């Protein structure tokens, strides 16, 4: 009874090591793959630009020349790329993941992409006896670095359970939302909310400015009540500092809002706020600011870029 | 040194009793005037409907037949009515407050009304040696009941200091935003933010529903991150319970958004999100739901009222 407790196993030792193929080493992907390496998994990585995989290779990852090569023999094949066309290419393209997928493998796509594409990947995987999960994340670069991402998952419950050790190594709030595509649909909900409150925040901050108010004093007055939002607390102060760096990039929100609009059209729905947010952000991207942070929408008002 | 500390004076005894004229006994006004009565002030109340003042009269308030009579001889004349036309009438109308205002008095308008009207009231008061503060509130019926309102104040700093004991009796976050009209302008900022995040929440919840997701599970996944807002945490659960009662009424938000739009036009600004929110809420009001809570905007989507 007086003997010391055995040490609690941490993530790095509690999980059976797995062979993981990883495709995509952008800001998010590189951090996430790094967590899996540190958790003791064997990671084989492919990236369009090999230099972006350097840190992972130095930390013990293997290099693969193609997505197919990264996937071959892996227990889990994880992808985290940018545009839907890239998600499509790394899965369905020549040397894509699906050219080599085999029975018992589990594909996990962390990218944000269309629900319909997630279902196509799931069906293609199933036809070869493999499973596929769509698992878009939120929480940004900070969440990826600190392994505190929210992960919205769609797919088969058994595959979800099997993948949980990987999810736990990169995220905190991990929820299975339903069948294939449900993770992507939940991410759409998230992005509609993000876009709405960011647009509202920018328009309100602009009004405060032109109305001659002291914007900081206004924030002090309105941030604690019914007007409260993450955007107001986190992005409005950046605007006041003149900081329009990303955070989350304009061109990525444009992509996500296009997915939302297309998905709504497929469902026969009109989402007027999505349409407004998309047209404003497309305008901002076309005005030379595609790689600003989403709070850059304020510039449309300030610089009157939005006026005909 | 061992003697007991004297009891800390509470709000009811710390403040010199004042003569207060009070006009308007709606849900907000009745609660607020009640706090002033309990704080030991002498309150004379006028209301369009005497029955709505009953509780205050029972608690010791005096009755006045007109706004002018409520104002006569008061140190502070407080107004809290509905539409801008009513704010105008109780101030500038026959038997209005300004017909009897005298030197040294301080007018406080707690209503949400146009900044330009606040400035007109301030100028009219000043021409008779009186002060006027515009002091719209946020925090709703609950904030009024619990004396935890946020109060956004515009006007003269000396008058603001003088009125502070009254503000402290009804609110918590009390900030002087600038000269006459600045309180109303700050309230516009607040309402733009409220409308944007409520519209975003309703559109996102509707999408979750038609996309076949479990809305509660979606809320669990998205409420803690960059999508977070007061509307999402407080109004979305009401939608899930089928509860469309106010909270804050559709017709009041329509009024506030019209003020925002008109004010923007006066400043030569286009606020596209305000225009969208206003057109949606006007449509909802015209569809038979003017007295629902603002989360009732969800009904426009659910019942496809918004479709041509």
């Amino acid at each position: 009874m007086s003997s010391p407790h055995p040490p609690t196993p941490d993530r790095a030792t509690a999980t059976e090591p797995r062979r993981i193929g990883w495709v995509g080493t952008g800001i998010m992907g590189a951090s996430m793959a790094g967590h899996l390496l540190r958790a003791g998994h064997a990671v084989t990585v492919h990236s369009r630009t090999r230099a972006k995989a350097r840190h992972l290779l130095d930390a013990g990852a293997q290099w693969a020349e193609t997505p197919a090569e990264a996937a071959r023999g892996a227990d889990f094949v994880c992808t985290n790329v940018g545009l839907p066309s890239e998600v499509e290419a790394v899965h369905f393209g020549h040397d894509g993941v699906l050219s080599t997928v085999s029975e018992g493998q589990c594909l996990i796509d962390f990218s944000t992409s269309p629900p319909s594409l997630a279902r196509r990947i799931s069906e293609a995987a199933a036809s070869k006896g493999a499973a596929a999960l769509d698992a878009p994340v939120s929480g940004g670069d900070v969440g990826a670095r600190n392994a505190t991402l929210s992960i919205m998952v769609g797919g088969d419950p058994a595959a979800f359970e099997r993948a949980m050790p990987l999810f736990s190594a990169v995220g905190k709030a991990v929820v299975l939302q339903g069948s294939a595509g449900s993770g992507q649909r939940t991410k759409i909900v998230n992005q509609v909310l993000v876009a709405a409150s960011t647009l509202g925040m920018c328009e309100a901050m602009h009004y405060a400015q032109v109305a001659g108010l002291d914007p900081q004093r206004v924030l002090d007055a309105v941030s604690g009540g019914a007007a409260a939002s993450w955007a107001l607390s986190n992005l409005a102060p950046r605007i006041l500092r003149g900081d329009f760096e990303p955070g989350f990039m304009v061109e990525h929100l444009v992509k996500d809002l296009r997915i939302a609009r297309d998905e709504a059209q497929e469902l026969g729905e009109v989402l007027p706020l999505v349409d407004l947010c998309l047209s404003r952000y497309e305008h901002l991207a076309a005005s030379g600011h595609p790689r600003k942070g989403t709070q850059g929408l304020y510039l449309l008002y300030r610089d009157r870029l939005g006026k005909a």
Side-chain angles (χ1 to χ4, degrees), chain A:
Chain A
M1 276 176 65
S2 64
S3 67
H5 294 290
T8 307
D10 65 16
R11 281 173 175 172
T13 59
T15 299
E16 194 185 340
R18 296 298 192 167
R19 287 164 300 172
I20 297 174
W22 189 281
V23 179
T25 54
I27 292 174
M28 304 290 290
S31 284
M32 295 163 73
H35 291 305
L36 294 175
L37 264 178
R38 279 188 294 280
H41 300 292
V43 178
T44 300
V45 63
H46 170 75
S47 181
R48 218 165 31 182
T49 315
R50 182 169 173 156
K52 287 196 177 174
R54 169 79 62 79
H55 282 294
L56 293 170
L57 300 176
D58 289 348
Q62 298 296 310
W63 174 252
E65 286 294 335
T66 64
E69 195 184 314
R72 198 162 295 130
D75 301 306
F76 295 92
V77 184
C78 302
T79 46
N80 194 348
V81 298
L83 296 173
S85 59
E86 294 164 335
V87 174
E88 174 133 17
V90 301
H91 283 92
F92 293 98
H94 181 66
D95 287 330
V97 165
L98 285 163
S99 68
T100 184
V101 70
S102 59
E103 192 159 348
Q105 284 191 313
C106 178
L107 313 185
I108 307 175
D109 184 22
F110 289 108
S111 322
T112 295
S113 85
S116 54
L117 179 52
R119 286 192 300 273
R120 276 178 54 216
I121 293 170
S122 173
E123 285 157 18
S127 75
K128 302 199 175 184
L133 300 169
D134 48 301
V137 303
S138 80
D141 53 342
V142 176
R145 212 158 44 236
N146 299 336
T148 55
L149 294 168
S150 293
I151 312 182
M152 296 156 260
V153 189
D156 174 61
F160 176 74
E161 282 309 318
R162 207 144 40 97
M164 192 47 99
L166 274 67
F167 291 142
S168 300
V170 299
K172 233 173 42 170
V174 184
V175 184
L176 180 65
Q177 293 289 341
S179 61
S182 300
Q184 297 297 353
R185 287 180 154 174
T186 304
K187 182 68 187 282
I188 290 176
V189 174
N190 191 77
Q191 298 307 75
V192 170
L193 293 163
V194 164
S197 58
T198 307
L199 173 57
M201 180 275 290
C202 290
E203 191 158 310
M205 292 296 288
H206 171 68
Y207 169 79
Q209 193 76 49
V210 297
L213 297 170
D214 174 341
Q216 183 60 58
R217 197 176 292 186
V218 170
L219 279 186
D220 294 344
V222 305
S223 292
S229 69
W230 185 94
L232 192 65
S233 302
N234 290 273
L235 299 182
R238 294 189 198 180
I239 290 176
L240 292 190
R241 289 197 301 270
D243 173 5
F244 296 101
E245 292 309 301
F248 185 61
M249 248 183 239
V250 167
E251 64 184 7
H252 292 157
L253 189 54
V254 167
K255 174 201 63 155
D256 295 352
L257 290 171
R258 284 179 180 153
I259 293 171
R261 179 203 52 195
D262 294 348
E263 169 79 359
Q265 277 174 357
E266 242 174 73
L267 294 167
E269 293 292 328
V270 178
L271 301 182
L273 181 57
V274 166
D275 292 343
L276 175 62
C277 290
L278 179 54
S279 82
R280 298 294 283 173
Y281 272 107
E282 282 178 335
H283 192 92
L284 179 61
S287 303
H289 301 302
R291 300 178 76 79
K292 286 269 195 298
T294 52
Q295 74 275 20
L297 198 60
Y298 179 78
L299 300 171
L300 275 195
Y301 294 93
R302 192 194 68 182
D303 303 339
R304 300 188 168 233
L305 297 171
K307 302 225 167 158

